[in-house]
């Protein structure tokens, strides 16, 4: 897994996947939360409306009687409430005349004697406890009970609470029967535990109905009359809990029969928005999740494609560069890369520059080796030839022969010295030993050393002082003067001038010699370059003189140049900084 392409691709894929996953998770969390809350609110609202309507049904004989209460409820919850009978006839509608028709299916049915155990979980009976019918105490009975309860409360200094049952009976909530003797100085409060006349009549009726039902059962159950017994503490105990199902059923049906005329009729309930539309329940099915997954996969594919394309584009020039580097390492100097723009483009450009430089150096090295071989061949060939002739007895080893051999070996010596100087200059190890010198002295020394009978060699100097290596400067100027003398025919003139111009010392070697053709001028400072290729070393030099001069002058921070006219003469000029 070293490939930059694959790593880049996988990396961006992982990042894309992570960010998509996190975003999707957050979004779905937030949405689910919001939906749950919304739905919870709606359900709670509906359940409350249902419960309140049951209470209203329990307390009214007809829905028409309950109209104002239902209107209030509809206003309170901002809903339109409509009740119809089984046949669909409207019993009550809080909507206005312009309200749209009701939905086809009702929300739920309302019957105080048959409570929906889903909407009201935990109820012990299907009969709403608020349906009290004939059990409701008369005002007189209630007032009497109230007085007894208040007296008891005052006397016992509120040690317990008085609770009102749905039929207005008051009972002691925290004190079981019999414990009233704990306060002997207080009234017994016995009235709170005795059935009133109203209740007694209602119980009588109820038990008649109940017994009637029981009688229809196959003679298993005996029922005791309730007369004179204390009323049950809890109104709901009327449900006859823990009995056999047929007994429970008999009691329920007896109660229903007794209460039926006192409660509002069975009705279908429609709950809608005030405008008529049905409150929209939100669908929490898996389609949402599936869509999120699909979209996420789509984005992932897109991100993958994009990063693959980017990575490929990024890697292509790098691969081209690698291939080119390999070819270069194997010796191919023609390898070039097209890197385009950007950082990699820059890299490609530097590679191309490096490759070109390498090719140039290689070319120079090869030319140098072949030139050196060529230059060495002639004097060595001469020496070998003379020595073989002597060995074969064809030539005498006389002083003349020795002179000739010596001259050839001196030529070789000079060539090797020149090569050494150049190699040092190339390697940057050419050492200068600068010291304060009078440049006119250097000129005089060179001119004196090169005096020649056939040519007029003279100098025109002004005193110039600077810091330089006198030996190397003599060598540089000596090469120019030697060339001038060599390429000037007898009777000609060579003048060496020295003067100061601005902050530079100028040395000029002016001759009246053969001159240099304009097309040759740019080459005179090249190594082993000669205008006359066929010229022998005896008339010409090694072809390295001007190259060495240029190196020496440049090592002093100066420059060398030439102006020449073919057939009229040349002027070589060295300019050196004074500082
Ligand atoms: P060489 O040892 O052949 O003189 P140089 O490097 O000194 O080598 O000079 C290179 C060539 O430049 C010479 O071969 C010659 O053709 C030309 N040249 C140099 N100096 C002069 C000059 N003063 N007049 C004419 N030609 C010159």
């Amino acid at each position: 897994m070293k490939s930059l392409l694959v790593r880049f691709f996988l990396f961006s894929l992982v990042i894309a996947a992570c960010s998509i996953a996190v975003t999707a998770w957050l979004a779905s969390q937030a949405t689910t939360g919001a939906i749950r809350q919304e739905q919870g609110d709606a359900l709670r609202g509906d359940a409350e409306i249902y419960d309140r309507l049951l209470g209203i049904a329990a307390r009214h004989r007809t829905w028409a009687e309950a109209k104002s209460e239902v209107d209030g409820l509809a206003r309170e919850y901002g809903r339109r409430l409509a009740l119809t009978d089984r046949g669909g006839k409207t019993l009550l509608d809080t909507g206005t005349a312009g309200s749209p028709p009701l939905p086809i299916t009702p929300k739920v049915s309302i019957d105080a004697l048959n409570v929906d155990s889903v909407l009201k979980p935990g109820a012990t009976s299907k009969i709403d406890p608020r349906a009290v019918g004939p059990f409701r105490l008369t005002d007189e009975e209630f007032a009497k009970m109230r007085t007894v309860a208040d007296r008891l409360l005052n006397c016992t200094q509120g040690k317990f609470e008085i609770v009102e049952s749905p039929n207005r009976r008051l009972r002691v909530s925290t004190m079981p029967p019999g414990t009233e003797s704990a306060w002997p100085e207080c009234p017994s409060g016995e009235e709170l535990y005795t059935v009133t006349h109203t209740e007694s009549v209602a119980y009588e009726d109820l038990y008649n109905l109940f017994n009637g039902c029981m009688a229809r059962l196959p003679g298993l159950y005996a029922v005791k009359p309730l007369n004179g017994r204390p009323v049950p503490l809890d109104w709901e105990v009327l449900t006859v809990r823990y009995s056999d199902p047929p007994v429970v059923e008999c009691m329920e049906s007896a109660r229903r029969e007794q209460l039926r005329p006192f409660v509002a009729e069975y009705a279908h309930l429609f709950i809608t928005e005030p405008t008529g539309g049905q409150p929209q329940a939100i669908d929490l099915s898996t389609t949402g999740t599936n869509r999120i997954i699909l979209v996420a996969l789509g984005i992932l594919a897109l991100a993958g494609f994009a990063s693959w394309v980017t990575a490929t584009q990024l890697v292509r020039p790098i691969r081209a560069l690698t291939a080119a580097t390999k070819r270069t390492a194997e010796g191919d100097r023609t390898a070039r890369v097209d890197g385009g723009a950007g950082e990699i483009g820059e890299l490609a450009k530097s590679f191309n520059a490096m490759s070109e430089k390498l090719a140039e150096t290689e070319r120079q090295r090869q030319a140098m080796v072949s030139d050196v071989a060529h230059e060495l061949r002639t004097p060595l060939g001469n020496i070998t030839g003379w020595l073989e002739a002597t060995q074969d007895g064809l030539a005498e080893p006389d002083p003349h022969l020795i002179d000739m051999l010596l001259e050839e070996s001196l030529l070789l010596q000079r060539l090797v010295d020149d090569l050494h100087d150049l190699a040092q200059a190339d390697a940057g190890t050419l050492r200068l030993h600068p010291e304060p010198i009078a440049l006119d002295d250097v000129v005089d020394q060179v001119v004196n050393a090169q005096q020649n009978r056939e040519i007029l060699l003279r100098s025109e100097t002004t005193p110039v002082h600077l810091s330089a290596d006198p030996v190397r400067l003599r060598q540089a100027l000596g090469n120019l003067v030697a060339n001038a003398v060599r390429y000037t025919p007898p009777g000609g003139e060579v003048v060496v001038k020295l003067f100061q111009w601005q902050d530079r010392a100028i040395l000029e070697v002016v001759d009246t010699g053969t001159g240099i053709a304009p097309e040759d001028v740019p080459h005179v400072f090249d190594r082993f370059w000669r205008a006359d290729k066929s010229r022998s070393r005896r008339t010409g030099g090694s072809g390295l003189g001007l190259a060495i001069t240029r190196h020496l002058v440049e090592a002093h921070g100066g420059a060398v140049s030439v102006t020449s006219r073919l057939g009229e003469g040349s002027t070589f000029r060295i300019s050196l900084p004074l500082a």
Side-chain angles (χ1 to χ4, degrees):
M1 214 55 94
K2 287 269 163 63
S3 163
L4 181 65
L5 174 63
V6 176
R7 271 190 295 171
F8 177 83
F9 177 67
L10 288 182
F11 180 66
S12 40
L13 217 57
V14 166
I15 289 185
C18 287
S19 47
I20 290 171
V22 170
T23 316
W25 183 76
L26 284 178
S28 75
Q29 282 292 303
T31 324
T32 316
I35 289 171
R36 285 224 179 98
Q37 189 169 354
E38 180 92 347
Q39 281 201 329
D41 286 351
L43 282 180
R44 213 174 308 123
D46 285 357
E48 276 169 26
I49 291 176
Y50 177 71
D51 184 49
R52 299 269 296 270
L53 280 172
L54 274 182
I56 294 172
R59 279 181 278 107
H60 296 86
R61 285 163 190 269
T62 62
W63 283 112
E65 252 178 48
K67 169 85 168 121
S68 63
E69 267 192 66
V70 177
D71 277 342
L73 191 64
R75 260 198 310 281
E76 193 181 320
Y77 283 90
R79 295 284 168 87
R80 174 191 175 191
L81 303 176
L83 294 152
T84 67
D85 67 7
R86 282 178 213 271
K89 204 175 110 244
T90 305
L91 301 169
L92 194 156
D93 188 352
T94 64
T96 54
S99 295
L102 293 170
I104 293 171
T105 42
K107 192 106 191 161
V108 71
S109 54
I110 303 269
D111 184 359
L113 304 182
N114 217 335
V115 175
D116 189 326
S117 56
V118 175
L119 283 168
K120 285 209 68 171
T124 45
S125 164
K126 293 204 119 201
I127 297 168
D128 192 290
R130 288 165 293 189
V132 294
F135 287 89
R136 187 183 157 88
L137 302 190
T138 61
D139 290 346
E140 196 189 330
E141 285 167 335
F142 177 68
K144 202 170 141 207
M145 218 166 223
R146 184 84 257 173
T147 329
V148 173
D150 285 346
R151 224 183 295 141
L152 194 62
L153 267 181
N154 273 337
C155 180
T156 55
Q157 287 156 357
K159 288 274 160 42
F160 48 81
E161 261 179 61
I162 296 291
V163 182
E164 189 181 332
S165 295
N167 71 332
R168 305 218 281 177
R169 158 169 288 283
L170 297 179
R171 48 191 182 84
V172 176
S173 73
T174 49
M175 190 171 72
T179 50
E180 64 268 31
S181 55
W183 292 281
E185 68 280 9
C186 291
S188 66
E190 192 191 335
E191 288 88 339
L192 294 182
Y193 302 98
T194 345
V195 282
T196 61
H197 175 69
T198 308
E199 285 170 314
S200 167
V201 172
Y203 275 127
E204 194 63 47
D205 278 354
L206 175 63
Y207 274 84
N208 283 335
L209 289 168
F210 178 56
N211 284 332
C213 170
M214 292 295 281
R216 284 194 290 278
L217 294 179
L220 286 169
Y221 304 94
V223 177
K224 291 175 196 160
L226 186 85
N227 255 351
R229 287 181 65 205
V231 281
L233 276 175
D234 188 343
W235 175 253
E236 292 182 16
V237 173
L238 274 177
T239 334
V240 202
R241 275 180 262 181
Y242 315 122
S243 296
D244 288 340
V247 180
V248 172
E249 200 34 61
C250 262
M251 178 52 95
E252 291 275 290
S253 70
R255 287 188 64 203
R256 269 193 203 104
E257 200 177 332
Q258 187 186 25
L259 294 174
R260 180 55 72 195
F262 297 92
V263 300
E265 63 268 48
Y266 174 98
H268 289 311
L269 168 66
F270 296 86
I271 303 180
T272 63
E273 294 293 322
T275 47
Q278 207 154 7
Q280 193 60 54
I282 298 161
D283 178 23
L284 254 193
S285 64
T286 51
T287 50
T289 326
N290 286 344
R291 200 171 331 124
I292 290 178
I293 291 175
L294 268 179
V295 170
L297 283 179
I299 294 174
L300 198 62
L302 212 69
F305 177 72
S307 55
W308 181 264
V309 170
T310 318
T312 319
Q313 277 177 354
L314 182 78
V315 164
R316 196 182 301 135
I318 294 183
R319 284 192 175 149
L321 258 171
T322 314
T325 319
K326 257 189 214 147
R327 273 166 59 203
T328 307
E330 283 160 8
D332 180 1
R333 298 286 178 263
T334 59
R336 299 287 183 276
V337 192
D338 178 17
E343 294 91 337
I344 298 194
E346 287 299 308
L347 183 62
K349 260 186 224 150
S350 342
F351 173 83
N352 289 345
M354 185 195 75
S355 199
E356 257 158 46
K357 182 81 193 159
L358 217 57
E360 171 67 17
T361 313
E362 188 105 335
R363 215 170 27 249
Q364 278 179 359
R365 191 177 58 83
Q366 280 167 358
M368 179 89 173
V369 170
S370 91
D371 284 344
V372 169
H374 179 77
E375 296 300 322
L376 291 177
R377 192 176 296 127
T378 321
L380 276 177
N382 284 343
I383 292 171
T384 314
W386 285 118
L387 287 177
E388 275 171 357
T390 313
Q391 204 173 37
D392 295 347
L394 298 175
E396 283 294 310
D398 55 5
H400 176 65
L401 181 69
I402 305 262
D403 274 353
M404 282 198 298
L405 286 177
L406 190 61
E407 198 178 325
E408 296 294 348
S409 88
L410 282 175
L411 257 174
L412 277 176
Q413 176 78 52
R414 208 180 321 134
L415 186 66
V416 170
D417 285 348
D418 285 354
L419 279 171
H420 180 67
D421 283 347
L422 272 178
Q424 273 191 325
D426 284 345
T429 52
L430 187 78
R431 281 273 157 75
L432 294 182
H433 301 284
E435 56 187 76
I437 53 166
L439 210 47
D440 37 323
D441 287 349
V442 174
V443 173
D444 287 344
Q445 284 166 7
V446 172
V447 167
N448 289 336
Q450 308 252 354
Q451 277 306 336
N452 186 305
R453 260 180 286 125
E454 295 169 340
I455 286 164
L456 177 59
L457 175 58
R458 61 185 181 83
S459 60
E460 291 174 10
T461 58
T462 52
V464 176
H465 296 268
L466 48 67
S467 174
D469 184 332
V471 178
R472 292 305 191 179
L473 269 193
R474 253 200 310 276
Q475 190 184 354
L477 184 63
N479 283 347
L480 295 187
V481 175
N483 278 349
V485 170
R486 190 180 299 143
Y487 299 109
T488 303
E493 188 188 33
V494 174
V495 185
V496 182
K497 298 180 183 171
L498 168 65
F499 57 92
Q500 198 172 322
W501 184 75
Q502 293 178 347
D503 58 348
R504 301 187 85 86
I506 307 292
L507 281 162
E508 278 184 354
V509 181
V510 186
D511 68 51
T512 56
T514 56
I516 307 165
E519 66 271 21
D520 290 342
V521 168
H523 300 292
V524 290
F525 293 102
D526 290 353
R527 294 170 187 190
F528 297 114
W529 187 89
R530 294 192 190 95
D532 182 358
K533 306 283 181 289
S534 63
R535 197 193 280 259
S536 81
R537 287 156 298 97
R538 230 165 291 279
T539 49
S542 63
L544 294 173
L546 287 180
I548 290 172
T549 297
R550 195 185 64 184
H551 272 297
L552 293 176
V553 171
E554 283 174 359
H556 279 92
V560 58
S561 62
V562 60
T563 48
S564 182
R565 242 170 223 273
L566 202 56
E568 289 181 20
S570 316
T571 300
F572 282 83
R573 185 176 297 108
I574 293 175
S575 109
L576 293 169
L578 285 176

